[in-house]
Amino acid sequence: MDAIWAERRSAAPGDRPLDHRTPWQRDRARVLHSAAFRRLQSKTQILGIGQNDFYRTRLTHSLEAAQIGTGLLSQLRLKTAEPLRAILPDDSLMEALCLGHDLGHPPFGHGGETALNYKMLAYGGFEGNGQTLRIVAKLEPYTEQHGMDLTRRTLLGLLKYPVLQPALIAPTSADNPLSLANWKPAKAIFAADKAILDWILAPLNPAERQLFQQTDELTQSPWLKSRHKSLDASIMELADDIAYGVHDLEDAIVLGNISAAQWHAFTAAPFQTLPIPLQQRLAQLADKLFAKAHHLRKDAIGSLVNQLITSVTLVESLPECQTALIRYNATLAEHEQFILQTLKQLVYRCVIQQPAIQQSRFRSQNMLLKLFDAFASDPERLLPLNTQQRWQQAHSLDAQQRVICDYISGMTDDYAERMYLTLFGN
């Protein structure tokens, strides 16, 4: 792989005598030892932090995604011949991507994300993956100006959506901020971080960049969707989806949020479209998933993950491009991709859409709306001293509001709850 992908934005040689680690090992270490990574231990995955000590947080989800990511890589190495095998990322790079992919998620999951996007619509919007790029490339204090100063290839792999935010429509006084259904974020990088995105994509020629950054315009929120991602990002996203679709399913079953009856009602019709042997395999696994013996459920979860991982292959997603990192993507076989999407929809319908979860999300997203209003009303009085300094150094209203957004999005669920009580009481 070209040395240009191992470059860092600072171009600093570094001072680590006898450090024989690869650039990807160093990137993994920077993610793993960051404050942003530690905060994931107290950020919502699906169920709120503190409701139970069993289920997964953003931190445990990221650890599991990293393990699945290296499993996908092992399969791709077995199935891919040279010279294509040489373009695959190594395990340290994949772990860095999977460990870091959720760093930008705000407190309270996607409810918090939508709340911050609503408040930032007039100032460039908010979206979790865009915030991840800000953290690793600008905010995390590993360096003075370039955040963790990760390699170009690692930054490219973290970009799920390698495009800039479109022009956003600011809310009006007639809009109801309590209903955030129409304010889901555009999946894109903030316009304020254009220079970082340009640096990441600099090795692409103009034609490749135009193809890579193609988008679909949507008729409703979030208005825009990018079509492509890099090879590394495609593997990371598969690992993320498998961890969500299978391991979060396990949480839901153990906690009684999904019953055997719900499983059969939701999956019976979709799974009937699969080949008979695969239907029989899934039926056997379902019996184990809802068995009283815990070891049978764990075996079923492992078998589901294995079924998905072992189906992975490389495809040409942009055959017109010469740059291998954007020409190829990883994908699951058709039937396994269908199974994964069905499992994700099952978790969404039977867990996330439950009134108790949505009521908790309503409460938490409105806490963030009020926190934002409070800090924006009197930032030089209410913000922490170091954040006040950043706010004072910002040279425009957009930049000042982004500082406030950075601060709130970096909060853990627990910290946001405590701050809300500090400012507003009960």
Side-chain angles (χ1 to χ4, degrees):
M1 187 56 59
D2 295 337
I4 194 170
W5 292 107
E7 291 178 349
R8 302 183 188 276
R9 197 156 177 244
S10 69
D15 183 20
R16 295 290 189 276
L18 304 179
D19 187 351
H20 299 296
R21 293 176 298 170
T22 68
W24 327 121
Q25 288 174 320
R26 295 176 66 191
D27 283 356
R28 179 186 181 278
R30 293 181 186 192
V31 171
L32 187 61
H33 295 294
S34 67
F37 181 72
R38 291 193 297 277
R39 291 190 188 104
L40 296 180
Q41 67 187 303
S42 189
K43 289 197 176 187
T44 294
Q45 174 65 7
I46 292 182
L47 301 173
I49 300 299
Q51 295 177 10
N52 190 292
D53 62 0
F54 167 81
Y55 55 73
R56 289 158 170 91
T57 65
R58 289 277 173 189
L59 181 70
T60 58
H61 163 78
S62 298
L63 293 170
E64 289 174 338
Q67 186 270 328
I68 293 170
T70 56
L72 289 165
L73 271 180
S74 295
Q75 288 295 318
L76 288 171
R77 292 188 187 112
L78 288 172
K79 296 177 179 180
T80 308
E82 294 292 354
L84 279 185
R85 189 184 301 153
I87 73 169
L88 295 173
D90 74 1
D91 286 356
S92 292
L93 173 54
M94 184 49 51
E95 288 179 355
L97 298 179
C98 293
L99 294 174
H101 80 281
D102 268 352
L103 293 180
H105 268 283
F108 310 123
H110 290 291
E113 182 182 44
T114 305
L116 288 179
N117 183 56
Y118 179 84
K119 284 299 180 184
M120 288 297 292
L121 283 170
Y123 313 105
F126 179 84
E127 193 276 326
N129 192 244
Q131 190 67 18
T132 293
L133 181 64
R134 281 183 67 77
I135 288 171
V136 300
K138 184 178 289 187
L139 300 179
E140 188 71 23
Y142 192 95
T143 62
E144 183 177 0
Q145 294 182 321
H146 303 298
M148 297 184 198
D149 199 24
L150 304 178
T151 60
R152 194 191 310 263
R153 179 166 180 173
T154 300
L155 293 176
L156 178 68
L158 285 170
L159 294 179
K160 288 186 177 182
Y161 319 109
V163 297
L164 289 176
Q165 288 272 5
L168 300 171
I169 303 172
T172 68
S173 58
D175 291 316
N176 177 13
L178 297 183
S179 174
L180 297 178
N182 294 325
W183 309 109
K184 295 179 181 178
K187 303 296 187 180
I189 303 306
F190 309 135
D193 299 322
K194 181 179 183 298
I196 300 171
L197 182 62
D198 287 343
W199 182 83
I200 296 170
L201 302 183
L204 307 183
N205 65 48
E208 286 181 320
R209 179 163 178 174
Q210 184 177 16
L211 287 168
F212 185 56
Q213 294 188 290
Q214 289 175 319
T215 61
D216 291 321
E217 302 296 326
L218 306 179
T219 58
Q220 57 185 2
S221 176
W223 314 114
L224 174 146
K225 182 180 181 181
S226 59
R227 295 182 184 177
H228 304 290
K229 57 182 64 66
S230 69
L231 166 64
D232 301 346
S234 72
I235 303 171
M236 175 267 286
E237 190 164 51
L238 284 179
D240 183 22
D241 284 350
I242 293 171
Y244 168 75
V246 180
H247 289 303
D248 289 351
L249 170 67
E250 180 184 12
D251 278 1
I253 292 172
V254 172
L255 296 174
N257 294 314
I258 293 180
S259 66
Q262 287 174 304
W263 166 277
H264 291 298
F266 190 88
T267 64
F271 285 173
Q272 281 181 356
T273 65
L274 297 170
I276 296 297
L278 197 47
Q279 288 186 44
Q280 294 172 339
R281 175 70 171 149
L282 289 169
Q284 293 169 354
L285 293 179
D287 290 340
K288 291 184 176 181
L289 280 174
F290 295 95
K292 292 184 178 180
H294 294 304
H295 72 279
L296 293 177
R297 182 174 57 251
K298 292 302 294 185
D299 180 64
I301 291 294
S303 295
L304 270 175
V305 172
N306 180 73
Q307 181 75 39
L308 298 172
I309 287 178
T310 54
S311 77
V312 69
T313 57
L314 281 189
V315 296
E316 283 189 295
S317 56
L318 281 172
E320 309 96 325
C321 296
Q322 293 301 309
T323 301
L325 287 183
I326 64 169
R327 180 171 181 167
Y328 296 94
N329 270 192
T331 187
L332 301 185
E334 180 182 358
H335 295 317
E336 279 71 18
Q337 185 62 46
F338 179 78
I339 292 170
L340 179 56
Q341 290 304 116
T342 303
L343 297 180
K344 289 171 62 180
Q345 284 298 311
L346 173 65
V347 173
Y348 180 74
R349 297 277 182 86
C350 296
V351 181
I352 295 175
Q353 285 192 320
Q354 286 301 302
I357 299 296
Q358 290 303 314
Q359 290 163 8
S360 176
R361 179 173 288 189
F362 178 87
R363 173 182 175 274
S364 59
Q365 69 190 26
N366 282 288
M367 279 198 296
L368 291 195
L369 292 174
K370 291 181 180 180
L371 282 176
F372 195 103
D373 287 342
F375 290 122
S377 70
D378 203 344
E380 293 184 283
R381 175 177 163 214
L382 299 179
L383 288 173
L385 293 178
N386 61 335
T387 308
Q388 281 187 37
Q389 186 177 19
R390 284 188 59 219
W391 186 88
Q392 291 163 352
Q393 292 171 348
H395 300 302
S396 67
L397 178 59
D398 285 14
Q400 289 176 333
Q401 297 294 85
R402 182 64 63 186
V403 169
I404 296 171
C405 186
D406 287 340
Y407 173 57
I408 296 175
S409 70
M411 293 179 177
T412 63
D413 293 18
D414 293 337
Y415 186 88
E417 290 262 10
R418 292 196 302 272
M419 182 59 69
Y420 182 84
L421 289 175
T422 297
L423 294 179
F424 297 101
N426 294 325

